[in-house]
Amino acid sequence: MADDAMKSILFVCTGNIFRSLIAEYALKQFLGGAGMYAVGSAGIEAKPQSIHPLVRAQLLERGVDPSGHVQRKLSPLLLDRADCVVAMGRDHQAAVQRLFGVSAPLFNQLCFERDEPILDVHEALPDWERNEDLARAYVLSVVDHICDAIPHFAARLPHLR
């Protein structure tokens, strides 16, 4: 692909309704319609679900509007179109490699050079259903972490392939 051509970034998580969705829409908002990048997201499983109202509300509070989101399942076509595939967790990283033979760095690796996944709520809090306040706080912290990391991610965009 030529240097002046539009680059495509694809964020990958499990269901495409939480982590990858946040990264997609936060980056789109940060770029403000800059035509140099096509930004999307997809899920390894992407079973039909809607965005949790808490995630939607926190994004809207931060000025990020996910209302146009259409949940997508990861496919060879989506991967073929992507110049940069970004995994939100280690399981996504492994699945992209195993299923499609594509290497995908972790989001935190690209933003902060830290080999740390962004865990889903059930991974971070196995008994999350018993402690709704803790689960709520964790979900909000993930939204905030990804949104706060986007400027670091965007700073690396010219170097991503």
Side-chain angles (χ1 to χ4, degrees):
M1 182 173 268
D3 287 336
D4 59 348
M6 183 180 287
K7 302 285 186 194
S8 176
I9 300 149
L10 182 68
F11 296 102
V12 177
C13 73
T14 305
N16 192 218
I17 56 163
F18 183 34
R19 296 164 289 172
S20 64
L21 158 110
I22 297 165
E24 174 187 357
Y25 283 88
L27 182 58
K28 285 178 177 178
Q29 188 272 337
F30 183 84
L31 295 174
M36 293 179 56
Y37 301 98
V39 181
S41 63
I44 300 292
E45 296 175 6
K47 296 174 184 169
Q49 302 173 61
S50 51
I51 303 168
H52 192 282
L54 180 62
V55 172
R56 182 183 307 280
Q58 186 71 359
L59 284 171
L60 289 171
E61 186 173 306
R62 294 189 64 115
V64 177
D65 184 2
S67 62
H69 183 65
V70 176
Q71 187 182 30
R72 297 190 301 177
K73 185 170 182 172
L74 189 62
S75 68
L77 181 61
L78 288 175
L79 286 169
D80 286 345
R81 292 180 177 169
D83 295 300
C84 178
V85 179
V86 182
M88 302 311 283
R90 290 196 203 290
D91 52 336
H92 313 124
Q93 196 176 35
V96 170
Q97 181 66 49
R98 184 182 72 253
L99 298 171
F100 304 102
V102 173
S103 177
L106 292 172
F107 180 79
N108 281 329
Q109 285 175 319
L110 293 175
C111 296
F112 305 112
E113 297 183 4
R114 290 194 321 240
D115 186 25
E116 297 172 2
I118 298 176
L119 301 177
D120 203 348
V121 82
H122 72 275
E123 295 171 310
L125 306 167
D127 63 342
W128 68 271
E129 293 173 303
R130 290 189 203 131
N131 192 336
E132 289 184 27
D133 290 339
L134 191 58
R136 176 184 168 83
Y138 181 76
V139 167
L140 294 175
S141 76
V142 169
V143 174
D144 290 342
H145 171 75
I146 294 171
C147 289
D148 292 344
I150 286 298
H152 299 278
F153 184 88
R156 304 266 325 259
L157 283 175
H159 308 291
L160 298 178
R161 294 182 184 246

